[in-house]
Amino acid sequence: MTNRILLVGMILIVAVSFAAQTGTIKTDEFHFASLEGNLVGDSPNRSVIVYLPPGYEGDKKMRYPVVYLLHGYGANVAGNKGWVREGSAFVETTSRLITEKKISPMIIVMPDGSNRFGGSMYTNSVTTGNWEDYIVRELVAFIDKNYRTLPKAESRGIAGTSMGGYGALKIAMKHPDVFGAVYGNSSCCLVLAPPAVMSESAGPAAKLTSFEEAAKAPVPVRISLAYAAAFSPNPSNPPFYSDHPASANGSDAVLSTAVLGRWQANTPINMVDQSVTNLRRLRVALDIGTQDRLLESNRQFRDALKRNRIEHTYEEFDGGHTDKTRERIGTKMLPFFSRTLVSKAK
C-alpha cells in the first residue's frame, strides 16, 4: 500500500511538473468598436487566440513581452485553432524552446483578420472597418488590460505570413511607438504586380456583381476584390462598396491610374522613403522561400531598406510560399523576437 501511494504521488508530481512546463491557449472574444459600421455587415465581435508561456499561472508578478502574429489571406481564427490548440506541435515546440531557455518566455497573440472578402489587409477602410486601428489601438489595449504584459513598444513585436506579413510590416512602419520589432514571413503585397499580370485578375473581378459570384471566382480574383475594398473603398458603389482599377466594359481590362495610385499608396515599398525615421526605430526581419512567387518583390523591398540604410535581417530559404511557415516560426521568428524584445521590466 505504501509503495502504491508513493507511486501515485510521483505520478502526480511528474504531471504537475509537465503542466508547469507547457504553455496554455486561451481564446477570448471581444467587441471591437473599430470594426463597427462596416458596409458589408461583418461582425465587430472577434475571437483572439492567446498563447501563455510555461509558468504564467505560477508567478503572478512576472510580466512578459508580446508578439502579435497575423494570419494570411483566406485564413481565420477557426483555422488557427487547429494548429495552436492545446497539445499541438506549436504549443509543445514553443513551450520546449522556452523551458530549454532557447527563447525568452513570451505571450503570443493571434487575432482574426478575416472578413467577407477573405482578408482585411489589416487596413482601415470605410467598407470593411478600421482593421489597422483594431490591431494597434483596441487589441493591444485589450491584451495589456487582461494579461500580464510589458506594455511598451520595445517589448512588443508584430509578425505575419503572406497578407499577415504585409500587415505586420505596414503597421510597424506606421506605429513604432506601439511595436518595437517586426518580422515579415513570405510577405505579400509589398509591390503591385505588373499591369499585364494585374489585368488577369482585375478584369474578371470588375465584372462580378455579387458576393455569390465572388465566392466562386479564382483566388487571384477574390484577392483583387479584397485589395479594392481595403485600398479604394467607395460607399456609393455597391455591392462591394469599392472602386476597381479595371472597367467592367469590354473584353480587355483597362486599368485606372487613379485607382492604382490609391493602391500604390498602400504598398510598403512606396512607404519606405517616407518612413525612414520610423523604420530606424524598429528591429526588422524578412524571410522568403526561393520557390515563392513573391521572391522578387521581397528582394525589391529589401533593396529599398538597403538604399535607405535601414538595419534589417533578410534570409532566403529553400521552400515555397507557406510550406515552411510553422517551421520558420519556431526556428527563426520566435528566436528573433527573443533577441530583440525587452523581456524584463526596467
Side-chain angles (χ1 to χ4, degrees):
M1 177 65 71
T2 301
N3 289 339
R4 180 179 295 179
I5 292 173
L6 288 173
L7 179 60
V8 171
M10 291 175 64
I11 291 172
L12 288 174
I13 290 171
V14 171
V16 171
S17 176
F18 178 78
Q21 296 182 48
T22 303
T24 56
I25 293 292
K26 304 287 187 182
T27 302
D28 294 317
E29 184 165 301
F30 187 67
H31 181 92
F32 293 96
S34 298
L35 304 181
E36 291 178 352
N38 66 82
L39 300 180
V40 292
D42 281 327
S43 174
N45 298 324
R46 293 283 155 171
S47 293
V48 180
I49 299 174
V50 181
Y51 167 85
L52 300 175
Y56 182 88
E57 299 298 340
D59 185 352
K60 299 298 184 180
K61 294 182 180 180
M62 182 73 173
R63 291 186 170 271
Y64 300 87
V66 185
V67 173
Y68 291 80
L69 183 56
L70 310 184
H71 65 70
Y73 180 86
N76 52 38
V77 162
N80 281 349
K81 286 180 180 177
W83 69 277
V84 299
R85 66 187 184 280
E86 297 284 357
S88 67
F90 171 84
V91 171
E92 291 184 354
T93 299
T94 304
S95 300
R96 177 178 54 78
L97 291 171
I98 292 172
T99 56
E100 293 178 356
K101 301 187 184 304
K102 293 181 179 178
I103 63 172
S104 302
M106 63 184 73
I107 296 170
I108 303 173
V109 178
M110 289 155 276
D112 187 356
S114 64
N115 66 1
R116 199 171 183 185
F117 293 94
S120 62
M121 308 307 297
Y122 302 102
T123 294
N124 286 349
S125 164
V126 66
T127 296
T128 60
N130 290 334
W131 288 88
E132 178 183 325
D133 291 349
Y134 149 68
I135 298 291
V136 175
R137 306 190 189 285
E138 290 195 88
L139 181 59
V140 167
F142 173 80
I143 296 298
D144 285 345
K145 179 180 178 180
N146 289 280
Y147 296 94
R148 297 196 314 275
T149 69
L150 291 167
K152 51 188 178 181
E154 56 263 42
S155 296
R156 286 195 205 99
I158 187 167
T161 296
S162 194
M163 180 185 77
Y166 163 82
L169 288 166
K170 180 180 174 183
I171 286 173
M173 290 167 68
K174 296 177 69 175
H175 301 280
D177 56 322
V178 178
F179 301 100
V182 59
Y183 194 114
N185 165 247
S186 302
S187 304
C188 82
C189 323
L190 301 181
V191 303
L192 284 188
V197 175
M198 186 173 292
S199 295
E200 295 176 0
S201 58
K207 297 177 182 179
L208 297 174
T209 59
S210 69
F211 279 98
E212 290 71 25
E213 289 182 5
K216 301 174 184 177
V219 171
V221 175
R222 298 202 303 271
I223 291 176
S224 188
L225 288 177
Y227 266 47
F231 304 151
S232 50
N234 182 351
S236 301
N237 192 17
F240 304 121
Y241 299 104
S242 55
D243 292 328
H244 213 73
S247 170
N249 299 320
S251 58
D252 296 326
V254 179
L255 301 181
S256 163
T257 56
V259 174
L260 286 179
R262 297 168 71 183
W263 288 22
Q264 288 279 13
N266 282 279
T267 55
I269 197 166
N270 286 319
M271 297 169 61
V272 171
D273 291 346
Q274 289 76 39
S275 304
V276 170
T277 300
N278 285 356
L279 280 162
R280 287 179 177 163
R281 295 172 60 184
L282 296 169
R283 302 294 183 90
V284 181
L286 309 164
D287 67 6
I288 185 78
T290 53
Q291 286 83 54
D292 196 324
R293 57 187 171 77
L294 301 175
L295 176 61
E296 183 55 34
S297 63
N298 276 252
R299 287 175 173 173
Q300 290 178 42
F301 187 74
R302 172 205 60 190
D303 292 344
L305 295 178
K306 284 184 177 180
R307 185 178 66 250
N308 284 282
R309 299 181 181 178
I310 306 300
E311 290 189 15
H312 65 282
T313 62
Y314 173 87
E315 184 177 349
E316 296 179 3
F317 59 88
D318 182 21
H321 187 49
T322 58
D323 56 312
K324 299 290 180 69
T325 297
R326 297 181 190 181
E327 173 187 330
R328 302 289 295 183
I329 289 175
T331 61
K332 299 294 180 177
M333 184 184 292
L334 296 182
F336 165 78
F337 287 118
S338 180
R339 294 190 304 271
T340 57
L341 296 181
V342 175
S343 58
K344 293 183 179 180
K346 295 181 179 179

